[in-house]
Amino acid sequence: MKTVLVLPGDGIGPEITDATLAVLEAATQGAIRFEKMLIGEASLASTGSTLPDDVLEAIPAMDGVLLGPVSHYTYPAGQPNPSATLRTRFNLFANIRPCRSRPDLSILRKPMDLVIVRENTEGFYADRSMHMGPGEFMPDPDSAFSIRKITGAATRRVAQVACEIAEARSGRLTVVHKANVLKLTDGLFLREVRAVAAQHRRVTLDEVIVDAAAALLIRDPARFDVIVTTNMFGDILSDEASELSGSLGLGGSINAGEDICVGQAQHGSAPDIAGQGIANPTSLILSAAMLLDWMGRRANDDGLTKAARRIGSAVDSVLDDPASRTRDIGGTLGTAAFADAVVRAL
């Protein structure tokens, strides 16, 4: 039996995690054991740490991890951000975010159906750029510096994942960069993506500067099928694409490494609505489906990949009916009621 570690997180995390588990249990019918552990504010109160050692020690033995949103920006100084720590500790180098527009929810005039593959362990995110010590520093009270790190090894491995996804789709891959300004770091990223793409005969590589890409996602989303880019650019563009396609609350996401994968909602912990039972659990449900698909393909388990497809289809059918949507996208359902509707659709 497969085992998934469940880390509910902060804010709305426990609510949407419970909703997601209801869907997972219905879809997998006992094929997965779910083990819960505390992180974030809950573990800080009970153990003094937002990411206890026993959680980190448990992860390598798991078949997958489901991570709820965290409120890391409110943690006391020195407490780790569980999301960032898991990505760097376990080399979860590929953040994969599909974005598909829904006709009456999207503000786009043209349909969107793309996947953004974001390098996840370095780049402009200074907390991921150093082996020891912070990646930001102030040499004097009026100056602040942040280190951007791009390596050939990290670029090659995320480019490989992006090429494999492109080959399974249309074969079109776009690398998004700012090498016209960031000549060394993005120049290196661009060089390595070109080299990896050249090894995939079915992949056609396009190159677009990041500011143009942001505009094209609005004006001509069909220009893109699979995008590969650096950490911060990928974070911004994927949030933009999800919001354009319907809502940030509708986008699934996984953080994948060689041996470990974490399903994680694209959005934050929304503490302002925590405990009210109105949060939209769609993003975490779809992230869980992506996690099942990753686990199934890795283990050659058709049951898990089929369960993932069933969840995706069930979510689509529920969202197609305006009456069965959550309040944030014009419906009336709460968190648990939406999960119940997805379970019925299964």
Side-chain angles (χ1 to χ4, degrees):
M1 177 180 289
K2 304 294 184 185
T3 303
V4 169
L5 179 63
V6 179
L7 307 173
D10 304 317
I12 61 171
E15 300 162 64
I16 63 172
T17 298
D18 286 345
T20 299
L21 288 177
V23 174
L24 285 174
E25 288 166 353
T28 58
Q29 300 179 344
I32 294 179
R33 183 174 68 89
F34 299 99
E35 180 177 326
K36 274 189 181 182
M37 298 183 78
L38 297 180
I39 59 166
E41 295 167 348
S43 65
L44 181 63
S46 61
T47 70
S49 172
T50 54
L51 188 57
D53 289 341
D54 59 344
V55 173
L56 293 172
E57 291 165 1
I59 287 174
M62 298 293 166
D63 296 291
V65 179
L66 185 66
L67 174 64
V70 294
S71 302
H72 61 88
Y73 47 88
T74 65
Y75 293 167
Q79 289 294 336
N81 171 358
S83 176
T85 302
L86 295 190
R87 295 176 188 190
T88 53
R89 175 72 68 92
F90 299 108
N91 280 317
L92 308 179
F93 57 85
N95 180 211
I96 303 169
R97 294 184 170 187
C99 301
R100 178 168 55 86
S101 57
R102 299 179 185 275
D104 61 337
L105 291 174
S106 172
I107 64 171
L108 292 168
R109 290 176 291 178
K110 299 177 182 178
M112 172 187 287
D113 184 0
L114 56 85
V115 178
I116 295 179
V117 184
R118 161 194 173 198
E119 202 293 315
N120 217 17
T121 61
E122 51 184 37
F124 269 128
Y125 283 30
D127 62 342
R128 286 152 235 194
S129 292
M130 307 293 284
H131 172 63
M132 293 185 67
E136 290 188 304
F137 56 94
M138 295 182 70
D140 62 68
D142 200 41
S143 303
F145 293 82
S146 181
I147 294 175
R148 187 192 200 208
K149 172 182 160 186
I150 300 290
T151 64
T155 302
R156 287 190 293 273
R157 63 189 183 183
V158 77
Q160 178 65 29
V161 170
C163 285
E164 291 171 0
I165 293 173
E167 286 178 323
R169 289 169 59 94
S170 69
R172 295 187 294 121
L173 176 64
T174 301
V175 55
V176 172
H177 64 93
K178 193 68 174 175
N180 57 324
V181 175
L182 302 167
K183 296 182 184 296
L184 295 181
T185 50
D186 263 10
L188 173 59
F189 187 84
L190 191 55
R191 183 193 77 191
E192 295 300 327
V193 171
R194 287 170 178 163
V196 173
Q199 300 170 13
H200 295 261
R201 288 186 293 178
R202 290 195 61 250
V203 171
T204 301
L205 184 66
D206 188 21
E207 301 174 6
V208 178
I209 293 174
V210 63
D211 36 344
L216 287 167
L217 282 172
I218 301 169
R219 190 177 71 218
D220 186 20
R223 164 78 177 266
F224 304 109
D225 190 60
V226 179
I227 292 172
V228 63
T229 190
T230 54
N231 201 340
M232 182 176 285
F233 294 164
D235 194 4
I236 295 169
L237 291 177
S238 59
D239 280 3
E240 177 195 3
S242 290
E243 193 63 32
L244 290 170
S245 65
S247 167
L248 192 60
L250 301 178
S253 173
I254 56 171
N255 304 293
E258 296 292 348
D259 301 308
I260 296 172
C261 183
V262 175
Q264 180 180 10
Q266 287 195 24
H267 56 74
S269 60
D272 55 317
I273 61 169
Q276 299 178 38
I278 61 174
N280 185 346
T282 301
S283 181
L284 192 60
I285 291 172
L286 291 178
S287 300
M290 292 178 68
L291 175 62
L292 290 185
D293 182 69
W294 182 90
M295 291 168 55
R297 286 185 289 106
R298 186 167 180 266
N300 293 315
D301 187 332
D302 289 341
L304 293 180
T305 55
K306 288 177 180 177
R309 289 195 296 270
R310 289 177 60 223
I311 291 173
S313 297
V315 169
D316 286 346
S317 68
V318 172
L319 291 176
D320 283 343
D321 180 2
S324 60
R325 296 171 183 167
T326 49
R327 299 180 191 182
D328 58 304
I329 51 174
T332 61
L333 297 188
T335 310
F338 181 85
D340 289 344
V342 174
V343 170
R344 290 194 299 271
L346 286 169

